Amino acid sequence: YFQKMFQAILPDYQINTGEMLDEGMAVLYHTIAQQKDSLEDDELYEALIIDCGGGTTDLCSYRFRIQNRRAAYKIYMETTYENGDTDFGGNNLTYRIVQLLKIALVYAEGTSDVQGIKEILEHMDTDVYRFVDAHGVKEFYGYLEQEYKKAEAILPTRFADFEHHNRNEYYQVKNNFYTLFQTAEQIKKALYGTVGTLEVRVTADGGTKDNKTIHLDKWKLSFRNGQELSVKKKIPEVTLNYFEIELLLSGEIYGIVLKFMEELYQTGRIQGFSFIKLTGQSCKINLFKDALKEFVPGRMIQFRKRASIDAADFELKMPCVNGALEYLRDRKY
């Protein structure tokens, strides 16, 4: 399907459909290309690649061996699709930040009985991994969801519920959602993209722009005033810190790692892998690596993080691109 789509989009280009790698295999090929001199000749290796992007997460296992023919290398690779979740990715993590941000804004307004961030996170401040093991991810976020529903009455974002309301209200609520979602993305990038950033201030006031301050357009949020929605001219300032977001996201991330790794761990298959590689933009969050340590030794996990968000994004995208290009080049020669 995708090959036909690209052929239709790029009719002037010759698309090579006969020698193409999937994303995980391209990442693996790049890894082999980087480590080929340190791999034992003709020894069978197994690798596990976890790819968490913006909207989906995939888990693939691979077996490979390499033969040094002096003038060239011969590589044998087999792939097996292990698991995947088409409904989980970086957007799910951003949505959790949206929930906390919305609650913080409504709490700062003081017009609702919604609890503050401190009280909500106290309900989540437990042995997260063991709690999720025993009760599941949904239960872990139960109290957050309860307070989020209260905040919805003051700062609505469920625009699908307004499809049969008047046009103006529908677009006000839709605008609320996308404004908060974009702000939450900025918060995530600020906290996880730059080393040393421990808190982010969200304000509608002007001032110096830096990576610790996010300026919210005060004309874009509509709060409920009685039976009507009206644009808020004075939006309260809120601050979210790194440790709050770490606790907030830990349940989601451990939940997806548990879903993927538990069967491999229970059956003992996990011990057969030579290394586990994290790829995809969302895996820049250290919580993925920490959650994996519940199942495998840390030395098995291949993971890189850069000091800046741009470098981290670049680093996590390029192994796939480089692997695909290296494969086509090596096939050619």
Side-chain angles (χ1 to χ4, degrees):
Y1 172 79
F2 286 107
Q3 293 172 13
K4 291 180 180 178
M5 181 182 71
F6 281 115
Q7 286 172 335
I9 294 173
L10 305 169
D12 296 333
Y13 289 82
Q14 182 179 355
I15 308 296
N16 186 346
T17 60
E19 299 173 359
M20 301 184 78
L21 295 178
D22 62 36
E23 188 171 355
M25 185 70 87
V27 171
L28 176 64
Y29 195 87
H30 177 68
T31 304
I32 295 172
Q34 297 294 305
Q35 300 181 3
K36 60 182 182 296
D37 293 332
S38 62
L39 297 173
E40 295 292 330
D41 194 55
D42 213 29
E43 181 172 335
L44 185 65
Y45 293 94
E46 286 194 83
L48 198 65
I49 294 180
I50 300 174
D51 176 21
C52 184
T56 62
T57 304
D58 295 309
L59 178 75
C60 293
S61 66
Y62 301 87
R63 292 192 299 176
F64 69 93
R65 56 191 173 92
I66 184 170
Q67 293 177 347
N68 188 347
R69 302 284 180 91
R70 296 195 180 188
Y73 290 89
K74 188 162 187 175
I75 301 171
Y76 302 86
M77 296 190 295
E78 297 177 8
T79 179
T80 304
Y81 178 76
E82 293 287 348
N83 207 335
D85 193 323
T86 56
D87 296 320
F88 182 88
N91 291 340
N92 297 69
L93 305 180
T94 302
Y95 175 68
R96 289 299 180 191
I97 301 175
V98 168
Q99 289 184 298
L100 206 65
L101 175 62
K102 184 163 87 168
I103 289 170
L105 288 168
V106 171
Y107 178 78
E109 277 288 295
T111 58
S112 171
D113 62 347
V114 66
Q115 296 296 308
I117 291 177
K118 183 176 181 293
E119 290 76 14
I120 292 170
L121 293 179
E122 280 178 353
H123 281 77
M124 302 164 69
D125 190 12
T126 180
D127 186 343
V128 176
Y129 295 170
R130 301 293 75 82
F131 185 92
V132 173
D133 283 339
H135 305 286
V137 174
K138 185 176 181 179
E139 184 69 22
F140 179 75
Y141 290 104
Y143 192 72
L144 173 71
E145 293 287 352
Q146 171 188 308
E147 298 306 305
Y148 182 67
K149 287 180 181 178
K150 294 180 185 178
E152 176 70 17
I154 305 300
L155 180 57
T157 53
R158 292 171 56 90
F159 54 87
D161 294 346
F162 286 76
E163 288 180 346
H164 301 294
H165 289 232
N166 68 64
R167 181 185 178 87
N168 190 46
E169 281 192 341
Y170 172 78
Y171 282 108
Q172 281 180 296
V173 176
K174 189 173 185 178
N175 194 63
N176 280 349
F177 175 79
Y178 283 105
T179 299
L180 292 181
F181 194 90
Q182 290 168 5
T183 305
E185 268 292 322
Q186 290 179 274
I187 292 170
K188 186 172 72 172
K189 288 183 177 181
L191 292 175
Y192 290 105
T194 306
V195 174
T197 302
L198 294 180
E199 70 175 24
V200 175
R201 182 169 63 101
V202 180
T203 178
D205 297 329
T208 305
K209 292 186 177 182
D210 55 50
N211 60 353
K212 298 179 182 179
T213 304
I214 295 172
H215 294 277
L216 190 65
D217 191 335
K218 63 184 178 181
W219 302 106
K220 286 190 174 182
L221 287 182
S222 300
F223 287 71
R224 187 171 294 284
N225 183 15
Q227 297 298 316
E228 297 182 350
L229 284 171
S230 58
V231 176
K232 199 76 174 179
K233 297 179 181 179
K234 182 67 176 176
I235 298 175
E237 180 178 296
V238 298
T239 300
L240 299 176
N241 68 56
Y242 177 83
F243 304 103
E244 292 169 343
I245 302 301
E246 281 276 284
L247 179 57
L248 175 72
L249 302 184
S250 59
E252 285 280 14
I253 291 176
Y254 179 70
I256 195 67
V257 170
L258 176 67
K259 175 182 176 179
F260 285 172
M261 304 300 291
E262 187 173 34
E263 183 181 352
L264 295 173
Y265 177 77
Q266 295 290 350
T267 59
R269 283 187 59 204
I270 196 68
Q271 302 302 324
F273 293 104
S274 303
F275 63 85
I276 296 173
K277 189 170 183 67
L278 295 172
T279 183
Q281 296 182 69
S282 300
C283 287
K284 69 171 70 72
I285 299 175
N286 275 318
L287 287 169
F288 277 96
K289 186 177 180 181
D290 294 339
L292 278 170
K293 287 179 182 177
E294 289 287 300
F295 303 95
V296 296
R299 286 188 176 184
M300 288 178 63
I301 306 168
Q302 294 192 4
F303 169 84
R304 287 186 180 180
K305 186 173 181 178
R306 292 290 182 263
S308 72
I309 189 71
D310 293 332
D313 281 345
F314 184 79
E315 179 67 27
L316 287 164
K317 290 174 182 175
M318 289 309 294
C320 175
V321 177
N322 284 335
L325 293 173
E326 287 161 350
Y327 176 76
L328 291 174
R329 177 200 64 194
D330 294 344
R331 283 290 298 255
K332 180 179 178 180
Y333 286 106

